[in-house]
Amino acid sequence: MADEIYTDVAIVGGGPASLTAAIQLVRNGIELKLISDDIGGKIKNANLIENLVGFPKGISGEDYVKILKQQFTNSKIPMIKGIVEEIKQFRERFIVKTAKQKIVSNHVVVGTGSIPIKMNIENEEEAHSKKNLFYENYIARNHVKGKTVIIVGSGDVAYDYAMNLKEKANHISIVQRSGKARCIPILRDRVSRQTNISVLTNIGPGKIKFEGKRIILSAKRDERIIPLMTDVILVAIGREPNIRVLSPELLEAYEKDEDVPNIYYVGDVKKGNFRQVSIAMGDGMNAAMEIVKKTTEEEGNYGITREVW
Ligand SMILES: Cc1cc2nc3c(=O)[nH]c(=O)nc-3n(C[C@H](O)[C@H](O)[C@H](O)COP(=O)(O)OP(=O)(O)OC[C@H]3O[C@@H](n4cnc5c(N)ncnc54)[C@H](O)[C@@H]3O)c2cc1C
């Protein structure tokens, strides 16, 4: 039988959104458990973060995650390491289920981030299981040394991935459906200056074929099939909120934008959110302050929040 753990706040996820909420709640002496399979979240994919105040020269995603891990340790955030299988509401409370524990809480902060969108083309799953196709850069970069790489996508993430892998990979082709990049101009310009990155426009992925250890992406331009031979494909065609853990009732409320008291969606999982670290952190802080305010009211202080710095 699963261990039953009671806490005031359950925070699901270990990315910037959840960590911000957790740090602020710990400082307020509010009881919590952070349940996550990692600390740092998806920013470890980033080549260079240049829009975070406090890092005048920018910082790589990898180095930034090291700082987050340090702050997590220093803040003494109580963590349950594991994968959450389900979050559901039970009367006034929430139940967060992992394989081993059942965490019962008064509030729940959901910071599960986003998941990559798949291409849904023939042999995609098989190529993924054979380690020829990836969705996350931090995994792909262990498999690209001296190899040819196709990155499918035309946005910030696709161009950031290309800049990240250019030293390791032999050659990178960015394959995009549209005629021009949808990323920020600074990234497009950097990519255009690289000798080992080319951009193929107006091409949509058709299907994948295997040829020994390599793969062929048969891409389509108008009605013409263009076979593109490569070692690795990295898919960067978009991401969507990671809401797989929500019970059917909570999922319905999320989809309909219905307010469920005491559940807070923070960061990339929030419907319609712009996916940026500072926004995720703002959401996390906001959720924490709302919880502090409610807790203070319940303590009889009639809505006067504690003074917190
Ligand atoms: C290539 C790339 C470059 C980027 N560059 C920038 C940039 O330059 N500047 C910027 O501001 N933003 C950038 N971003 C966006 C940034 O990474 C996100 O906005 C940010 O990470 C969102 O934080 P989050 O806490 O909401 O989610 P995430 O960072 O995605 O964290 C989600 C957390 O939830 C955990 N989790 C998920 N499901 C479960 C589960 N079932 N059980 C337990 N734990 C779970 C995960 O392990 C993870 O710890 C970039 C993103 C990418 C992919």
Side-chain angles (χ1 to χ4, degrees), residues 180-201:
K180 56 181 181 179
R182 287 187 294 113
C183 67
I184 51 173
I186 196 172
L187 270 176
R188 189 194 55 214
D189 294 347
R190 279 177 195 157
V191 161
S192 70
R193 287 198 294 272
Q194 308 307 318
T195 50
N196 68 338
I197 307 179
S198 24
V199 179
L200 308 178
T201 56

mmCIF file with all atom_site columns, all heavy atoms in Angstrom, residues 180-201:
data_model
loop_
_atom_site.group_PDB
_atom_site.id
_atom_site.type_symbol
_atom_site.label_atom_id
_atom_site.label_alt_id
_atom_site.label_comp_id
_atom_site.label_asym_id
_atom_site.label_entity_id
_atom_site.label_seq_id
_atom_site.pdbx_PDB_ins_code
_atom_site.Cartn_x
_atom_site.Cartn_y
_atom_site.Cartn_z
_atom_site.occupancy
_atom_site.B_iso_or_equiv
_atom_site.pdbx_formal_charge
_atom_site.auth_seq_id
_atom_site.auth_comp_id
_atom_site.auth_asym_id
_atom_site.auth_atom_id
_atom_site.pdbx_PDB_model_num
ATOM 1   N N   . LYS A 1 180 ? 10.089 31.308 -44.252 1.00 0.00 ? 180 LYS A N   1
ATOM 2   C CA  . LYS A 1 180 ? 11.073 32.026 -43.431 1.00 0.00 ? 180 LYS A CA  1
ATOM 3   C C   . LYS A 1 180 ? 10.977 31.619 -41.961 1.00 0.00 ? 180 LYS A C   1
ATOM 4   O O   . LYS A 1 180 ? 9.955  31.070 -41.524 1.00 0.00 ? 180 LYS A O   1
ATOM 5   C CB  . LYS A 1 180 ? 10.921 33.532 -43.592 1.00 0.00 ? 180 LYS A CB  1
ATOM 6   C CG  . LYS A 1 180 ? 9.569  34.072 -43.302 1.00 0.00 ? 180 LYS A CG  1
ATOM 7   C CD  . LYS A 1 180 ? 9.584  35.582 -43.523 1.00 0.00 ? 180 LYS A CD  1
ATOM 8   C CE  . LYS A 1 180 ? 8.211  36.138 -43.212 1.00 0.00 ? 180 LYS A CE  1
ATOM 9   N NZ  . LYS A 1 180 ? 8.096  37.543 -43.362 1.00 0.00 ? 180 LYS A NZ  1
ATOM 10  N N   . ALA A 1 181 ? 12.058 31.924 -41.251 1.00 0.00 ? 181 ALA A N   1
ATOM 11  C CA  . ALA A 1 181 ? 12.140 31.532 -39.843 1.00 0.00 ? 181 ALA A CA  1
ATOM 12  C C   . ALA A 1 181 ? 11.079 32.257 -39.022 1.00 0.00 ? 181 ALA A C   1
ATOM 13  O O   . ALA A 1 181 ? 10.743 33.402 -39.308 1.00 0.00 ? 181 ALA A O   1
ATOM 14  C CB  . ALA A 1 181 ? 13.525 31.879 -39.314 1.00 0.00 ? 181 ALA A CB  1
ATOM 15  N N   . ARG A 1 182 ? 10.581 31.554 -37.985 1.00 0.00 ? 182 ARG A N   1
ATOM 16  C CA  . ARG A 1 182 ? 9.625  32.206 -37.068 1.00 0.00 ? 182 ARG A CA  1
ATOM 17  C C   . ARG A 1 182 ? 10.314 32.551 -35.741 1.00 0.00 ? 182 ARG A C   1
ATOM 18  O O   . ARG A 1 182 ? 9.660  32.783 -34.742 1.00 0.00 ? 182 ARG A O   1
ATOM 19  C CB  . ARG A 1 182 ? 8.432  31.276 -36.825 1.00 0.00 ? 182 ARG A CB  1
ATOM 20  C CG  . ARG A 1 182 ? 7.493  31.182 -38.044 1.00 0.00 ? 182 ARG A CG  1
ATOM 21  C CD  . ARG A 1 182 ? 6.238  30.394 -37.722 1.00 0.00 ? 182 ARG A CD  1
ATOM 22  N NE  . ARG A 1 182 ? 6.530  29.000 -37.445 1.00 0.00 ? 182 ARG A NE  1
ATOM 23  C CZ  . ARG A 1 182 ? 6.378  28.415 -36.265 1.00 0.00 ? 182 ARG A CZ  1
ATOM 24  N NH1 . ARG A 1 182 ? 5.916  29.090 -35.245 1.00 0.00 ? 182 ARG A NH1 1
ATOM 25  N NH2 . ARG A 1 182 ? 6.675  27.148 -36.103 1.00 0.00 ? 182 ARG A NH2 1
ATOM 26  N N   . CYS A 1 183 ? 11.646 32.530 -35.758 1.00 0.00 ? 183 CYS A N   1
ATOM 27  C CA  . CYS A 1 183 ? 12.366 32.803 -34.503 1.00 0.00 ? 183 CYS A CA  1
ATOM 28  C C   . CYS A 1 183 ? 12.755 34.273 -34.415 1.00 0.00 ? 183 CYS A C   1
ATOM 29  O O   . CYS A 1 183 ? 12.575 35.020 -35.379 1.00 0.00 ? 183 CYS A O   1
ATOM 30  C CB  . CYS A 1 183 ? 13.624 31.944 -34.427 1.00 0.00 ? 183 CYS A CB  1
ATOM 31  S SG  . CYS A 1 183 ? 14.844 32.367 -35.647 1.00 0.00 ? 183 CYS A SG  1
ATOM 32  N N   . ILE A 1 184 ? 13.309 34.649 -33.273 1.00 0.00 ? 184 ILE A N   1
ATOM 33  C CA  . ILE A 1 184 ? 13.719 36.044 -33.107 1.00 0.00 ? 184 ILE A CA  1
ATOM 34  C C   . ILE A 1 184 ? 14.901 36.336 -34.051 1.00 0.00 ? 184 ILE A C   1
ATOM 35  O O   . ILE A 1 184 ? 15.728 35.460 -34.306 1.00 0.00 ? 184 ILE A O   1
ATOM 36  C CB  . ILE A 1 184 ? 14.087 36.384 -31.638 1.00 0.00 ? 184 ILE A CB  1
ATOM 37  C CG1 . ILE A 1 184 ? 15.101 35.377 -31.070 1.00 0.00 ? 184 ILE A CG1 1
ATOM 38  C CG2 . ILE A 1 184 ? 12.858 36.422 -30.773 1.00 0.00 ? 184 ILE A CG2 1
ATOM 39  C CD1 . ILE A 1 184 ? 15.626 35.753 -29.702 1.00 0.00 ? 184 ILE A CD1 1
ATOM 40  N N   . PRO A 1 185 ? 14.972 37.573 -34.576 1.00 0.00 ? 185 PRO A N   1
ATOM 41  C CA  . PRO A 1 185 ? 15.996 37.895 -35.587 1.00 0.00 ? 185 PRO A CA  1
ATOM 42  C C   . PRO A 1 185 ? 17.427 37.604 -35.135 1.00 0.00 ? 185 PRO A C   1
ATOM 43  O O   . PRO A 1 185 ? 18.246 37.131 -35.924 1.00 0.00 ? 185 PRO A O   1
ATOM 44  C CB  . PRO A 1 185 ? 15.792 39.400 -35.812 1.00 0.00 ? 185 PRO A CB  1
ATOM 45  C CG  . PRO A 1 185 ? 14.402 39.675 -35.377 1.00 0.00 ? 185 PRO A CG  1
ATOM 46  C CD  . PRO A 1 185 ? 14.061 38.691 -34.322 1.00 0.00 ? 185 PRO A CD  1
ATOM 47  N N   . ILE A 1 186 ? 17.722 37.829 -33.859 1.00 0.00 ? 186 ILE A N   1
ATOM 48  C CA  . ILE A 1 186 ? 19.093 37.632 -33.373 1.00 0.00 ? 186 ILE A CA  1
ATOM 49  C C   . ILE A 1 186 ? 19.550 36.176 -33.569 1.00 0.00 ? 186 ILE A C   1
ATOM 50  O O   . ILE A 1 186 ? 20.684 35.907 -33.945 1.00 0.00 ? 186 ILE A O   1
ATOM 51  C CB  . ILE A 1 186 ? 19.196 38.102 -31.891 1.00 0.00 ? 186 ILE A CB  1
ATOM 52  C CG1 . ILE A 1 186 ? 20.629 38.281 -31.461 1.00 0.00 ? 186 ILE A CG1 1
ATOM 53  C CG2 . ILE A 1 186 ? 18.480 37.206 -30.951 1.00 0.00 ? 186 ILE A CG2 1
ATOM 54  C CD1 . ILE A 1 186 ? 20.763 38.933 -30.085 1.00 0.00 ? 186 ILE A CD1 1
ATOM 55  N N   . LEU A 1 187 ? 18.622 35.234 -33.354 1.00 0.00 ? 187 LEU A N   1
ATOM 56  C CA  . LEU A 1 187 ? 18.960 33.814 -33.518 1.00 0.00 ? 187 LEU A CA  1
ATOM 57  C C   . LEU A 1 187 ? 19.115 33.474 -35.001 1.00 0.00 ? 187 LEU A C   1
ATOM 58  O O   . LEU A 1 187 ? 20.017 32.744 -35.401 1.00 0.00 ? 187 LEU A O   1
ATOM 59  C CB  . LEU A 1 187 ? 17.855 32.941 -32.916 1.00 0.00 ? 187 LEU A CB  1
ATOM 60  C CG  . LEU A 1 187 ? 17.983 32.558 -31.451 1.00 0.00 ? 187 LEU A CG  1
ATOM 61  C CD1 . LEU A 1 187 ? 16.759 31.779 -31.002 1.00 0.00 ? 187 LEU A CD1 1
ATOM 62  C CD2 . LEU A 1 187 ? 19.230 31.712 -31.228 1.00 0.00 ? 187 LEU A CD2 1
ATOM 63  N N   . ARG A 1 188 ? 18.203 34.007 -35.809 1.00 0.00 ? 188 ARG A N   1
ATOM 64  C CA  . ARG A 1 188 ? 18.263 33.757 -37.255 1.00 0.00 ? 188 ARG A CA  1
ATOM 65  C C   . ARG A 1 188 ? 19.600 34.258 -37.820 1.00 0.00 ? 188 ARG A C   1
ATOM 66  O O   . ARG A 1 188 ? 20.255 33.568 -38.587 1.00 0.00 ? 188 ARG A O   1
ATOM 67  C CB  . ARG A 1 188 ? 17.094 34.478 -37.937 1.00 0.00 ? 188 ARG A CB  1
ATOM 68  C CG  . ARG A 1 188 ? 16.913 34.138 -39.403 1.00 0.00 ? 188 ARG A CG  1
ATOM 69  C CD  . ARG A 1 188 ? 15.998 35.128 -40.059 1.00 0.00 ? 188 ARG A CD  1
ATOM 70  N NE  . ARG A 1 188 ? 16.494 36.490 -39.864 1.00 0.00 ? 188 ARG A NE  1
ATOM 71  C CZ  . ARG A 1 188 ? 15.723 37.573 -39.718 1.00 0.00 ? 188 ARG A CZ  1
ATOM 72  N NH1 . ARG A 1 188 ? 14.424 37.467 -39.731 1.00 0.00 ? 188 ARG A NH1 1
ATOM 73  N NH2 . ARG A 1 188 ? 16.261 38.768 -39.556 1.00 0.00 ? 188 ARG A NH2 1
ATOM 74  N N   . ASP A 1 189 ? 20.037 35.448 -37.369 1.00 0.00 ? 189 ASP A N   1
ATOM 75  C CA  . ASP A 1 189 ? 21.302 36.009 -37.871 1.00 0.00 ? 189 ASP A CA  1
ATOM 76  C C   . ASP A 1 189 ? 22.497 35.166 -37.439 1.00 0.00 ? 189 ASP A C   1
ATOM 77  O O   . ASP A 1 189 ? 23.407 34.924 -38.211 1.00 0.00 ? 189 ASP A O   1
ATOM 78  C CB  . ASP A 1 189 ? 21.475 37.456 -37.385 1.00 0.00 ? 189 ASP A CB  1
ATOM 79  C CG  . ASP A 1 189 ? 20.421 38.364 -38.003 1.00 0.00 ? 189 ASP A CG  1
ATOM 80  O OD1 . ASP A 1 189 ? 19.761 37.914 -38.968 1.00 0.00 ? 189 ASP A OD1 1
ATOM 81  O OD2 . ASP A 1 189 ? 20.240 39.492 -37.512 1.00 0.00 ? 189 ASP A OD2 1
ATOM 82  N N   . ARG A 1 190 ? 22.460 34.719 -36.169 1.00 0.00 ? 190 ARG A N   1
ATOM 83  C CA  . ARG A 1 190 ? 23.580 33.881 -35.690 1.00 0.00 ? 190 ARG A CA  1
ATOM 84  C C   . ARG A 1 190 ? 23.672 32.603 -36.511 1.00 0.00 ? 190 ARG A C   1
ATOM 85  O O   . ARG A 1 190 ? 24.754 32.194 -36.911 1.00 0.00 ? 190 ARG A O   1
ATOM 86  C CB  . ARG A 1 190 ? 23.376 33.521 -34.216 1.00 0.00 ? 190 ARG A CB  1
ATOM 87  C CG  . ARG A 1 190 ? 23.808 34.629 -33.300 1.00 0.00 ? 190 ARG A CG  1
ATOM 88  C CD  . ARG A 1 190 ? 23.537 34.268 -31.854 1.00 0.00 ? 190 ARG A CD  1
ATOM 89  N NE  . ARG A 1 190 ? 23.635 35.468 -31.042 1.00 0.00 ? 190 ARG A NE  1
ATOM 90  C CZ  . ARG A 1 190 ? 23.063 35.635 -29.876 1.00 0.00 ? 190 ARG A CZ  1
ATOM 91  N NH1 . ARG A 1 190 ? 22.353 34.661 -29.347 1.00 0.00 ? 190 ARG A NH1 1
ATOM 92  N NH2 . ARG A 1 190 ? 23.207 36.758 -29.206 1.00 0.00 ? 190 ARG A NH2 1
ATOM 93  N N   . VAL A 1 191 ? 22.516 31.970 -36.746 1.00 0.00 ? 191 VAL A N   1
ATOM 94  C CA  . VAL A 1 191 ? 22.506 30.720 -37.518 1.00 0.00 ? 191 VAL A CA  1
ATOM 95  C C   . VAL A 1 191 ? 23.027 30.970 -38.935 1.00 0.00 ? 191 VAL A C   1
ATOM 96  O O   . VAL A 1 191 ? 23.815 30.183 -39.477 1.00 0.00 ? 191 VAL A O   1
ATOM 97  C CB  . VAL A 1 191 ? 21.075 30.108 -37.533 1.00 0.00 ? 191 VAL A CB  1
ATOM 98  C CG1 . VAL A 1 191 ? 20.899 29.102 -38.665 1.00 0.00 ? 191 VAL A CG1 1
ATOM 99  C CG2 . VAL A 1 191 ? 20.782 29.442 -36.193 1.00 0.00 ? 191 VAL A CG2 1
ATOM 100 N N   . SER A 1 192 ? 22.633 32.088 -39.532 1.00 0.00 ? 192 SER A N   1
ATOM 101 C CA  . SER A 1 192 ? 23.029 32.352 -40.930 1.00 0.00 ? 192 SER A CA  1
ATOM 102 C C   . SER A 1 192 ? 24.552 32.546 -41.054 1.00 0.00 ? 192 SER A C   1
ATOM 103 O O   . SER A 1 192 ? 25.103 32.391 -42.125 1.00 0.00 ? 192 SER A O   1
ATOM 104 C CB  . SER A 1 192 ? 22.292 33.580 -41.474 1.00 0.00 ? 192 SER A CB  1
ATOM 105 O OG  . SER A 1 192 ? 22.795 34.734 -40.825 1.00 0.00 ? 192 SER A OG  1
ATOM 106 N N   . ARG A 1 193 ? 25.232 32.826 -39.945 1.00 0.00 ? 193 ARG A N   1
ATOM 107 C CA  . ARG A 1 193 ? 26.693 33.026 -40.006 1.00 0.00 ? 193 ARG A CA  1
ATOM 108 C C   . ARG A 1 193 ? 27.466 31.709 -39.822 1.00 0.00 ? 193 ARG A C   1
ATOM 109 O O   . ARG A 1 193 ? 28.686 31.696 -39.930 1.00 0.00 ? 193 ARG A O   1
ATOM 110 C CB  . ARG A 1 193 ? 27.132 34.022 -38.924 1.00 0.00 ? 193 ARG A CB  1
ATOM 111 C CG  . ARG A 1 193 ? 26.737 35.473 -39.241 1.00 0.00 ? 193 ARG A CG  1
ATOM 112 C CD  . ARG A 1 193 ? 27.548 36.462 -38.417 1.00 0.00 ? 193 ARG A CD  1
ATOM 113 N NE  . ARG A 1 193 ? 27.255 36.373 -36.994 1.00 0.00 ? 193 ARG A NE  1
ATOM 114 C CZ  . ARG A 1 193 ? 26.273 37.050 -36.395 1.00 0.00 ? 193 ARG A CZ  1
ATOM 115 N NH1 . ARG A 1 193 ? 25.493 37.856 -37.089 1.00 0.00 ? 193 ARG A NH1 1
ATOM 116 N NH2 . ARG A 1 193 ? 26.068 36.929 -35.100 1.00 0.00 ? 193 ARG A NH2 1
ATOM 117 N N   . GLN A 1 194 ? 26.766 30.609 -39.552 1.00 0.00 ? 194 GLN A N   1
ATOM 118 C CA  . GLN A 1 194 ? 27.473 29.343 -39.298 1.00 0.00 ? 194 GLN A CA  1
ATOM 119 C C   . GLN A 1 194 ? 27.685 28.592 -40.614 1.00 0.00 ? 194 GLN A C   1
ATOM 120 O O   . GLN A 1 194 ? 26.760 28.471 -41.413 1.00 0.00 ? 194 GLN A O   1
ATOM 121 C CB  . GLN A 1 194 ? 26.672 28.439 -38.334 1.00 0.00 ? 194 GLN A CB  1
ATOM 122 C CG  . GLN A 1 194 ? 26.245 29.106 -37.057 1.00 0.00 ? 194 GLN A CG  1
ATOM 123 C CD  . GLN A 1 194 ? 27.407 29.755 -36.307 1.00 0.00 ? 194 GLN A CD  1
ATOM 124 O OE1 . GLN A 1 194 ? 28.481 29.166 -36.209 1.00 0.00 ? 194 GLN A OE1 1
ATOM 125 N NE2 . GLN A 1 194 ? 27.186 30.951 -35.791 1.00 0.00 ? 194 GLN A NE2 1
ATOM 126 N N   . THR A 1 195 ? 28.892 28.075 -40.803 1.00 0.00 ? 195 THR A N   1
ATOM 127 C CA  . THR A 1 195 ? 29.180 27.379 -42.064 1.00 0.00 ? 195 THR A CA  1
ATOM 128 C C   . THR A 1 195 ? 28.627 25.955 -42.068 1.00 0.00 ? 195 THR A C   1
ATOM 129 O O   . THR A 1 195 ? 28.444 25.370 -43.135 1.00 0.00 ? 195 THR A O   1
ATOM 130 C CB  . THR A 1 195 ? 30.706 27.325 -42.312 1.00 0.00 ? 195 THR A CB  1
ATOM 131 O OG1 . THR A 1 195 ? 31.321 26.845 -41.122 1.00 0.00 ? 195 THR A OG1 1
ATOM 132 C CG2 . THR A 1 195 ? 31.263 28.695 -42.660 1.00 0.00 ? 195 THR A CG2 1
ATOM 133 N N   . ASN A 1 196 ? 28.394 25.383 -40.889 1.00 0.00 ? 196 ASN A N   1
ATOM 134 C CA  . ASN A 1 196 ? 27.905 23.991 -40.891 1.00 0.00 ? 196 ASN A CA  1
ATOM 135 C C   . ASN A 1 196 ? 26.402 23.886 -40.565 1.00 0.00 ? 196 ASN A C   1
ATOM 136 O O   . ASN A 1 196 ? 25.920 22.838 -40.166 1.00 0.00 ? 196 ASN A O   1
ATOM 137 C CB  . ASN A 1 196 ? 28.737 23.107 -39.946 1.00 0.00 ? 196 ASN A CB  1
ATOM 138 C CG  . ASN A 1 196 ? 28.535 23.460 -38.488 1.00 0.00 ? 196 ASN A CG  1
ATOM 139 O OD1 . ASN A 1 196 ? 28.120 24.575 -38.157 1.00 0.00 ? 196 ASN A OD1 1
ATOM 140 N ND2 . ASN A 1 196 ? 28.823 22.505 -37.611 1.00 0.00 ? 196 ASN A ND2 1
ATOM 141 N N   . ILE A 1 197 ? 25.676 25.013 -40.728 1.00 0.00 ? 197 ILE A N   1
ATOM 142 C CA  . ILE A 1 197 ? 24.208 24.931 -40.570 1.00 0.00 ? 197 ILE A CA  1
ATOM 143 C C   . ILE A 1 197 ? 23.560 25.445 -41.851 1.00 0.00 ? 197 ILE A C   1
ATOM 144 O O   . ILE A 1 197 ? 23.858 26.554 -42.302 1.00 0.00 ? 197 ILE A O   1
ATOM 145 C CB  . ILE A 1 197 ? 23.684 25.780 -39.387 1.00 0.00 ? 197 ILE A CB  1
ATOM 146 C CG1 . ILE A 1 197 ? 24.414 25.443 -38.081 1.00 0.00 ? 197 ILE A CG1 1
ATOM 147 C CG2 . ILE A 1 197 ? 22.170 25.604 -39.228 1.00 0.00 ? 197 ILE A CG2 1
ATOM 148 C CD1 . ILE A 1 197 ? 23.959 26.266 -36.865 1.00 0.00 ? 197 ILE A CD1 1
ATOM 149 N N   . SER A 1 198 ? 22.681 24.613 -42.449 1.00 0.00 ? 198 SER A N   1
ATOM 150 C CA  . SER A 1 198 ? 21.904 25.127 -43.588 1.00 0.00 ? 198 SER A CA  1
ATOM 151 C C   . SER A 1 198 ? 20.421 25.106 -43.231 1.00 0.00 ? 198 SER A C   1
ATOM 152 O O   . SER A 1 198 ? 19.982 24.338 -42.359 1.00 0.00 ? 198 SER A O   1
ATOM 153 C CB  . SER A 1 198 ? 22.162 24.333 -44.866 1.00 0.00 ? 198 SER A CB  1
ATOM 154 O OG  . SER A 1 198 ? 22.596 23.054 -44.587 1.00 0.00 ? 198 SER A OG  1
ATOM 155 N N   . VAL A 1 199 ? 19.676 25.951 -43.919 1.00 0.00 ? 199 VAL A N   1
ATOM 156 C CA  . VAL A 1 199 ? 18.229 26.032 -43.665 1.00 0.00 ? 199 VAL A CA  1
ATOM 157 C C   . VAL A 1 199 ? 17.490 25.655 -44.944 1.00 0.00 ? 199 VAL A C   1
ATOM 158 O O   . VAL A 1 199 ? 17.729 26.232 -46.007 1.00 0.00 ? 199 VAL A O   1
ATOM 159 C CB  . VAL A 1 199 ? 17.835 27.466 -43.223 1.00 0.00 ? 199 VAL A CB  1
ATOM 160 C CG1 . VAL A 1 199 ? 16.326 27.549 -42.985 1.00 0.00 ? 199 VAL A CG1 1
ATOM 161 C CG2 . VAL A 1 199 ? 18.591 27.885 -41.964 1.00 0.00 ? 199 VAL A CG2 1
ATOM 162 N N   . LEU A 1 200 ? 16.653 24.617 -44.857 1.00 0.00 ? 200 LEU A N   1
ATOM 163 C CA  . LEU A 1 200 ? 15.871 24.177 -46.022 1.00 0.00 ? 200 LEU A CA  1
ATOM 164 C C   . LEU A 1 200 ? 14.423 24.623 -45.803 1.00 0.00 ? 200 LEU A C   1
ATOM 165 O O   . LEU A 1 200 ? 13.794 24.204 -44.820 1.00 0.00 ? 200 LEU A O   1
ATOM 166 C CB  . LEU A 1 200 ? 15.932 22.652 -46.170 1.00 0.00 ? 200 LEU A CB  1
ATOM 167 C CG  . LEU A 1 200 ? 17.346 22.030 -46.170 1.00 0.00 ? 200 LEU A CG  1
ATOM 168 C CD1 . LEU A 1 200 ? 17.264 20.518 -46.268 1.00 0.00 ? 200 LEU A CD1 1
ATOM 169 C CD2 . LEU A 1 200 ? 18.177 22.580 -47.320 1.00 0.00 ? 200 LEU A CD2 1
ATOM 170 N N   . THR A 1 201 ? 13.931 25.446 -46.694 1.00 0.00 ? 201 THR A N   1
ATOM 171 C CA  . THR A 1 201 ? 12.598 26.034 -46.473 1.00 0.00 ? 201 THR A CA  1
ATOM 172 C C   . THR A 1 201 ? 11.517 25.356 -47.315 1.00 0.00 ? 201 THR A C   1
ATOM 173 O O   . THR A 1 201 ? 11.824 24.644 -48.276 1.00 0.00 ? 201 THR A O   1
ATOM 174 C CB  . THR A 1 201 ? 12.617 27.535 -46.828 1.00 0.00 ? 201 THR A CB  1
ATOM 175 O OG1 . THR A 1 201 ? 13.077 27.673 -48.163 1.00 0.00 ? 201 THR A OG1 1
ATOM 176 C CG2 . THR A 1 201 ? 13.526 28.317 -45.907 1.00 0.00 ? 201 THR A CG2 1
#
